[in-house]
Amino acid sequence: MRKTWKFALILSVCASLLVAGCGGGGGGGNSEDAVQESDAPNFDPYGKYETPVEFTIGRNTNHVNNLPEGDTIENNLATRYVESRVNVKAKVAWETDDMKQKLSLSMTTGDLPDVMLVDREIFNQLVDNDLIADLTEVYEKTASEGIKEIYGSYGDFLLEQVKVDGKIMGLPMTNIGNQHQLLWVRKDWVDKVGAELPTTLDEVWDLARTFVEQDVSGTGKTGGFVMDQNAMNFSPVFAVYNAFPAQWIKNKDGQIVYGSVQPEMKAALADLSERYKEGLIDKQFAVRSNEEKEALVINGQVGMLFNPWWIGYTNYKESIKQNPEAEWVAVSAPVDDAGKFKTIRQDPIGGGIVVVKKDYPHPEAIMKSINLTTDFLYSLTEDAVQYKKEHPDELLIDNSRWNNDPTQIPMQIDYDDVLKRYYEDIMQAAESGDESSIQEDRIVSLRAYLEFKEKGNDVDVNTYGEYLSRIEGQREANNPNLEVIPGAFYGTTETMKLKWAILKKMEEETILKIIMGEAGLEAFDTFVETWHRTGGDEIMAEINGQ
């Protein structure tokens, strides 16, 4: 059946392309008329074509318009920079709010754009049906040194995710390291009750208990931890028990297994259930909206929560409006018996994979666009810095950092250890007093840090948020006690496509019921047995190649 499906799809694609070629229609996928066939491949990373080279791209709909008047997604400062340097132009074939559905339809009709941003599942389908280009030579010859250095910071881990039979079939967006959950604590509350910042799990629960029992907020409503509805923001608590829910990990025998069905989960769930009963976890976490949970923190009723380093870019930063004395600090707690703060490495591919349609005549042009866009976004070259300085009236109208949306290819990549690099750059520049020594895009963080040092909470909310994330969060995200455990599998198998949604629903419902005391620990054993029997064993066999 699978071979028949592939053959039918290929015939459909070929037929559609033939019709488009003969009819001369304006199909969204083809830009061959705009590409000069006489141009030989130009592999120089910054080499400029004599005649314009155009490619089409399918994009997610951009719902934020902070471009200057008259500028568009296709024509703005970032896209003009690429065009001016290498003579490469992007044309939007279509925009969609459902990329997966749109690409599935495009694969069926053959109306594929030259460039696509796809998830792993679509990537595998495109590879299986021989619809995308081998980018090995393009990457080796045309990727800039900056791009290669960024990808190289992941070792072989990142590019191996997009290699098929040793060939690089796509260019992955990156999911930077150290984005794990941290414990955020109201330090002013800690001082108020005469306690210390916690390290162990017992100390975490003791501090939460003290906050609640002493009603440290003074509202009569001091609450315990806010928890996500699937409890996954409590991964540091699970990790103390060597439990890693929702993660594929290797067991002691080298087999890939699913963390949510391992025996270590049971003790962690028992602990969380006990703390929920005690009132150290918000009793209504299962029914509260995200906005309601944020309100508990912003209004000063909750003083402990788990969140990654980027907390300052959420609504939590608004807490200083309601509580000017609030002092939030990040802590790598709880640690295990060996003093390690454990986390699983998240999927290194973040946001998708850039692929190029097979037989597009200038795949190296796509690499050039990515080279220059990355230089532009992060001010990696003096040329990019100078270009932005020469066009001050063409920057974003809200004075925000230029993001990857209004670019030729909305692709964002960064170093695996960028949080460490970023934090150290700010500290060194602050010490030297020379802001010209750091990347231009980091100056806003440096200035926020210096202003916060001078004024404390008497800064505006956005400055406070920048400080929380880029100083407090990034510092703690690189705590020396951190132990990052590699994930063992990030993809999707054939059985997962059919059964994973049902298995996940059963998993989340079981965890929720046990924590809330609606089911006893024996429910976990029942869940594990059912999980294995109704698809879990098949999935593990596929992952382990059995």
Side-chain angles (χ1 to χ4, degrees):
M1 286 295 291
R2 183 170 171 79
K3 290 183 179 178
T4 302
W5 177 82
K6 288 183 186 177
F7 184 68
L9 178 57
I10 293 171
L11 284 179
S12 172
V13 170
C14 292
S16 298
L17 291 175
L18 182 61
V19 170
C22 294
N30 291 320
S31 65
E32 293 181 6
D33 292 342
V35 176
Q36 300 298 314
E37 294 289 342
S38 59
D39 276 354
N42 180 341
F43 290 108
D44 182 343
Y46 295 101
K48 188 172 185 177
Y49 296 101
E50 292 185 6
T51 53
V53 172
E54 183 177 284
F55 65 86
T56 58
I57 182 169
R59 302 176 49 112
N60 284 310
T61 304
N62 178 36
H63 293 286
V64 178
N65 186 9
N66 52 1
L67 293 169
E69 185 176 357
D71 279 4
T72 67
I73 287 294
E74 293 181 331
N75 182 17
N76 58 67
L77 186 62
T79 63
R80 289 191 289 270
Y81 177 60
V82 177
E83 290 178 41
S84 68
R85 295 314 190 248
V86 292
N87 215 1
V88 172
K89 183 177 178 63
K91 180 181 179 181
V92 177
W94 40 255
E95 290 185 288
T96 179
D97 287 322
D98 191 339
M99 180 64 74
K100 193 167 187 175
Q101 182 183 53
K102 180 66 175 178
L103 283 173
S104 295
L105 179 62
S106 295
M107 287 172 62
T108 303
T109 63
D111 188 25
L112 291 170
D114 300 321
V115 177
M116 297 157 274
L117 276 77
V118 302
D119 62 15
R120 287 176 180 271
E121 184 178 344
I122 296 293
F123 173 77
N124 290 332
Q125 291 179 23
L126 291 167
V127 169
D128 287 347
N129 291 283
D130 196 25
L131 295 175
I132 54 176
D134 173 4
L135 299 179
T136 307
E137 182 181 28
V138 166
Y139 179 77
E140 291 174 351
K141 293 182 177 180
T142 310
S144 68
E145 289 305 311
I147 296 290
K148 288 180 177 177
E149 186 176 313
I150 289 172
Y151 276 170
S153 70
Y154 296 79
D156 296 330
F157 188 45
L158 182 62
L159 284 180
E160 284 299 321
Q161 308 292 318
V162 294
K163 283 186 178 180
V164 179
D165 297 328
K167 300 175 183 177
I168 298 174
M169 300 303 295
L171 300 169
M173 295 177 70
T174 59
N175 190 18
I176 63 174
N178 295 33
Q179 299 202 73
H180 52 275
Q181 300 285 338
L182 298 169
L183 175 62
W184 291 86
V185 184
R186 282 278 299 266
K187 178 64 164 56
D188 55 305
W189 284 13
V190 174
D191 295 339
K192 187 175 181 179
V193 299
E196 295 183 355
L197 291 172
T199 301
T200 67
L201 183 55
D202 284 343
E203 290 170 353
V204 169
W205 295 135
D206 285 345
L207 184 60
R209 187 178 297 110
T210 299
F211 283 177
V212 172
E213 290 178 350
Q214 295 191 21
D215 185 29
V216 69
S217 70
T219 63
K221 299 178 181 179
T222 303
F225 278 91
V226 291
M227 177 183 272
D228 290 348
Q229 290 177 344
N230 63 5
M232 290 304 99
N233 65 322
F234 270 61
S235 55
V237 174
F238 283 100
V240 169
Y241 292 94
N242 214 31
F244 303 100
Q247 304 291 337
W248 290 97
I249 55 178
K250 283 190 176 181
N251 65 14
K252 61 182 180 181
D253 299 320
Q255 289 290 299
I256 298 175
V257 296
Y258 190 53
S260 294
V261 296
Q262 301 311 303
E264 291 83 0
M265 283 285 294
K266 207 167 182 179
L269 289 172
D271 188 11
L272 289 171
S273 179
E274 188 63 31
R275 305 313 166 190
Y276 175 84
K277 185 189 305 181
E278 191 180 352
L280 304 188
I281 296 171
D282 174 30
K283 290 283 189 177
Q284 300 180 55
F285 81 90
V287 295
R288 287 194 197 275
S289 66
N290 287 334
E291 291 76 16
E292 290 171 333
K293 292 174 185 177
E294 288 175 343
L296 292 175
V297 176
I298 293 169
N299 295 335
Q301 293 173 239
V302 169
M304 297 176 74
L305 70 150
F306 288 109
N307 201 92
W309 68 273
W310 37 258
I311 190 171
Y313 298 132
T314 72
N315 290 332
Y316 288 132
K317 66 178 181 284
E318 301 281 342
S319 64
I320 63 166
K321 282 186 177 179
Q322 303 290 334
N323 311 275
E325 75 286 355
E327 181 186 355
W328 287 99
V329 296
V331 185
S332 293
V335 298
D336 64 11
D337 291 340
K340 293 297 183 181
F341 186 65
K342 292 181 179 178
T343 187
I344 298 289
R345 178 57 169 97
Q346 297 174 6
D347 186 349
I349 294 180
I353 304 165
V354 173
V355 296
V356 180
K357 186 176 68 176
K358 190 172 184 179
D359 299 329
Y360 172 69
H362 284 286
E364 80 284 353
I366 310 308
M367 193 75 252
K368 292 173 189 278
S369 175
I370 293 171
N371 290 343
L372 284 157
T373 297
T374 303
D375 291 347
F376 178 91
L377 288 175
Y378 300 113
S379 302
L380 296 184
T381 62
E382 184 57 37
D383 181 63
V385 172
Q386 192 60 34
Y387 185 82
K388 284 186 275 190
K389 287 181 178 179
E390 291 170 356
H391 301 82
D393 296 334
E394 300 171 43
L395 295 169
L396 300 180
I397 59 177
D398 59 1
N399 295 317
S400 62
R401 287 189 184 88
W402 202 285
N403 58 64
N404 63 322
D405 281 331
T407 59
Q408 288 192 347
I409 302 172
M411 173 187 185
Q412 196 153 353
I413 67 171
D414 217 328
Y415 291 94
D416 183 33
D417 61 344
V418 66
L419 299 184
K420 184 174 185 291
R421 293 168 181 257
Y422 199 123
Y423 175 76
E424 290 178 348
D425 278 357
I426 295 173
M427 292 299 102
Q428 290 169 7
E431 184 176 348
S432 68
D434 180 14
E435 69 176 28
S436 67
S437 65
I438 61 175
Q439 286 180 203
E440 186 184 40
D441 66 306
R442 298 176 183 177
I443 291 176
V444 64
S445 302
L446 171 63
R447 291 175 179 172
Y449 172 52
L450 295 176
E451 186 176 352
F452 183 82
K453 280 182 66 178
E454 178 185 350
K455 301 179 181 178
N457 282 9
D458 290 333
V459 295
D460 65 65
V461 167
N462 290 330
T463 298
Y464 181 66
E466 190 75 18
Y467 165 80
L468 270 188
S469 289
R470 292 299 182 177
I471 305 302
E472 189 65 27
Q474 287 190 147
R475 172 191 56 75
E476 196 57 33
N478 290 286
N479 187 292
N481 291 327
L482 178 67
E483 180 180 336
V484 180
I485 301 169
F489 180 74
Y490 302 105
T492 302
T493 72
E494 290 301 313
T495 302
M496 288 176 81
K497 294 175 187 177
L498 299 173
K499 300 182 178 181
W500 193 245
I502 296 173
L503 292 175
K504 280 299 293 182
K505 182 180 179 183
M506 178 173 60
E507 172 189 337
E508 291 174 359
E509 287 178 350
T510 301
I511 288 175
L512 189 66
K513 288 179 179 178
I514 292 174
I515 291 175
M516 296 179 67
E518 295 178 3
L521 281 176
E522 66 278 0
F524 177 75
D525 299 323
T526 302
F527 154 67
V528 171
E529 188 276 328
T530 306
W531 187 91
H532 282 287
R533 178 170 46 82
T534 59
D537 282 345
E538 294 175 69
I539 292 169
M540 287 198 298
E542 289 171 335
I543 292 173
N544 286 288
Q546 298 171 349

